[in-house]
């Protein structure tokens, strides 16, 4: 067996996708931010998605270079180079000395010397340098917590017609559980609803689109999802004021009634109505949020018809893509069946029974990718409540 490199902390070798990586030894403990360099095996699906989405987005024309300014042990960008087949070269950065050392070791170990460079740098500095010296086709921002302070330079560093991928793990703020943080960090008015994970995706996408539009860039999600501890959005970047305006117009507000769960889209906050149009209960306001499509249908189809779809290595991420593909694409909220049932004072029926009934009635409906016991449908909440009551009495 090949000897592990001499470092002042214990390491181990992990295999992920086609990469073989030297990472810090965590023992029984989970990956924490206190480690000398950060590798989280639970984020594998996030890296799988990055490989598949990058491949699908760039398969007709090579991506050229990729940049990962918060690279940890290099797992993500190394896998992009080894597995996507569309990334020729890359640059990895990290502020941590030990992360950079491990990235160097992992570049050698995976035969990527000459194709992947590494630099110890603050992410914003690295991205600014790229913005000036040569942009990357794909930029991936994968920080601890919030990406918000890296997004602007992320867009500056992304080629026009390129792709920017970003994760966030500060779900309490983005989903409306920490309303104060949502407000001061993101400028969002949020409240926790029964579709809080949908809110988190759309909050991140909305903030990204507004950041791009300030730079006269259009940004449009081509794939987004919430899974485990993270939300992730991949945005196509377009040049021009009219693209910026068109995409910015899809960042709007929701009004949501906590009494009957009725939700609707409004353009601007001032269109807000205090009382629910269905039950007269008090409305709450959420936004601004991205209310356009979470995913591009063609890109999703491409992934589902690709070599990835039948490769067990990608099974977890392919499942997410498949579930996103089934969701009605123009409904920016969902209903937790347990919550609808609780309000209707009945026990929850089976999810598929409710979905079949909705479809029989001509509505579109599917379980959500982030919660198989939640339903995304264009049916109004009172119809859903009626079905839940009917099915409970059968
Ligand atoms: C979540 S980890 C990255 C994991 C990696 N992207 C992956 O998929 O395995 C975040 C990384 O950002 C680094 N970091 C934190 N602040 C930074 C900054 N201002 N500039 C550059 N790197 C930073 C940390 O050292 C850490 O390695
Ligand atoms: Zn209501």
């Amino acid at each position: 067996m090949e000897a592990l490199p001499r470092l002042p902390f214990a390491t181990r070798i992990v295999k992920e996708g086609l990469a073989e990586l030297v990472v810090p030894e965590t023992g029984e403990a989970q990956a924490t931010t206190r480690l000398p360099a950060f590798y989280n095996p639970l984020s594998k699906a996030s890296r799988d998605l990055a490989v598949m989405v990058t491949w699908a987005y760039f398969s007709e024309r090579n991506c050229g270079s990729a940049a990962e300014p918060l690279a940890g042990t290099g797992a993500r960008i190394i896998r992009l180079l080894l597995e996507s087949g569309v990334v020729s070269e890359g640059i990895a950065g990290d502020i941590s000395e030990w992360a950079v050392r491990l990235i160097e070791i992992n570049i050698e170990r995976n035969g990527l010397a000459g194709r992947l460079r590494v630099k110890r740098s603050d992410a914003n500095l690295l991205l600014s340098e790229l913005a000036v010296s040569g942009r990357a086709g794909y930029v991936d921002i994968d920080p601890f917590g919030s990406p918000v302070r890296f997004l602007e330079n992320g867009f500056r560093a992304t080629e026009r017609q390129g792709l920017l991928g970003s994760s966030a793990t500060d779900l309490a703020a983005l989903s409306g559980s920490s309303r104060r943080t949502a407000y001061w960090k993101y400028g969002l008015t949020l409240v926790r609803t029964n579709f809080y994970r949908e809110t988190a995706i759309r909050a991140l996408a909305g903030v990204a689109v507004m950041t791009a539009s300030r730079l006269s860039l259009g940004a449009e999600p081509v794939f987004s999802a919430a899974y485990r501890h993270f939300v992730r959005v991949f945005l196509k970047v377009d040049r021009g004021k009219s693209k910026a305006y068109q995409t910015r117009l899809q960042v709007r507000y929701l009004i949501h009634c906590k009494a009957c769960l009725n939700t609707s889209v409004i353009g601007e906050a001032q269109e807000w109505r205090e009382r629910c149009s269905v039950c007269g209960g008090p409305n709450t306001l959420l936004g601004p949020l991205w209310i356009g499509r979470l995913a591009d249908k063609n890109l999703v189809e491409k992934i589902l018809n690709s070599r990835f779809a039948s490769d067990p290595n990608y099974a977890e991420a392919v499942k997410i893509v498949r579930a996103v593909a089934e969701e009605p694409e123009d409904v920016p909220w969902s209903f937790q069946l347990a919550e609808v049932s609780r309000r209707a004072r009945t026990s929850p029926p089976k999810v598929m029974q409710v979905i079949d009934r909705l479809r029989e009635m001509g509505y579109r409906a599917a379980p959500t990718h982030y919660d198989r016991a939640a339903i995304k449908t264009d049916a109004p909440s009172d119809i859903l409540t009626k079905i839940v009551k009917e099915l409970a009495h059968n």
Side-chain angles (χ1 to χ4, degrees), residues 82-255:
L82 295 177
E83 296 169 45
S84 71
V86 294
V87 179
S88 317
E89 53 175 29
I91 176 145
D94 204 286
I95 197 125
S96 144
E97 175 188 357
W98 294 116
V100 168
R101 183 71 198 107
L102 281 177
I103 297 169
E104 283 167 354
I105 290 165
N106 287 328
I107 289 175
E108 284 296 326
R109 201 174 185 95
N110 289 280
L112 291 174
R115 283 180 68 200
L116 181 56
R117 287 185 297 137
V118 59
K119 187 162 180 188
R120 186 173 179 199
S121 170
D122 170 71
N124 275 322
L125 273 178
L126 182 68
L127 291 166
S128 282
E129 273 168 26
L130 290 177
V132 177
S133 64
R135 300 186 185 113
Y138 177 62
V139 171
D140 197 300
I141 298 185
D142 184 49
F144 299 133
S146 170
V148 73
R149 66 188 188 282
F150 305 116
L151 284 176
E152 181 154 330
N153 285 316
F155 281 115
R156 289 180 60 226
T158 307
E159 268 173 19
R160 302 343 180 195
Q161 304 295 316
L163 189 68
L164 177 124
S166 175
S167 349
T169 58
D170 57 337
L171 300 194
L174 288 169
S175 67
S177 297
S178 303
R179 299 177 65 176
R180 286 165 64 122
T181 317
Y183 186 68
W184 67 256
K185 183 166 267 185
Y186 291 100
L188 300 173
T189 301
L190 295 181
V191 25
R192 188 173 157 118
T193 63
N194 78 125
F195 54 88
Y196 63 95
R197 272 176 284 200
E198 182 90 23
T199 303
I201 306 172
R202 294 181 179 279
L204 174 62
V207 166
V209 170
M210 289 189 288
T211 304
S213 97
R214 285 203 302 269
L215 301 168
S216 307
L217 296 172
E220 192 169 3
V222 296
F223 190 80
S224 9
Y227 187 66
R228 291 183 187 252
H229 60 290
F230 65 85
V231 284
R232 184 146 257 274
V233 54
F234 297 88
L235 303 116
K236 170 185 183 201
V237 180
D238 267 314
R239 185 202 310 273
K241 290 175 192 162
S242 96
K243 288 279 183 192
Y245 183 62
Q246 289 310 322
T247 47
R248 177 61 185 82
L249 278 180
Q250 295 182 70
V251 182
R252 299 185 154 214
Y253 288 84
L254 297 181
I255 24 182

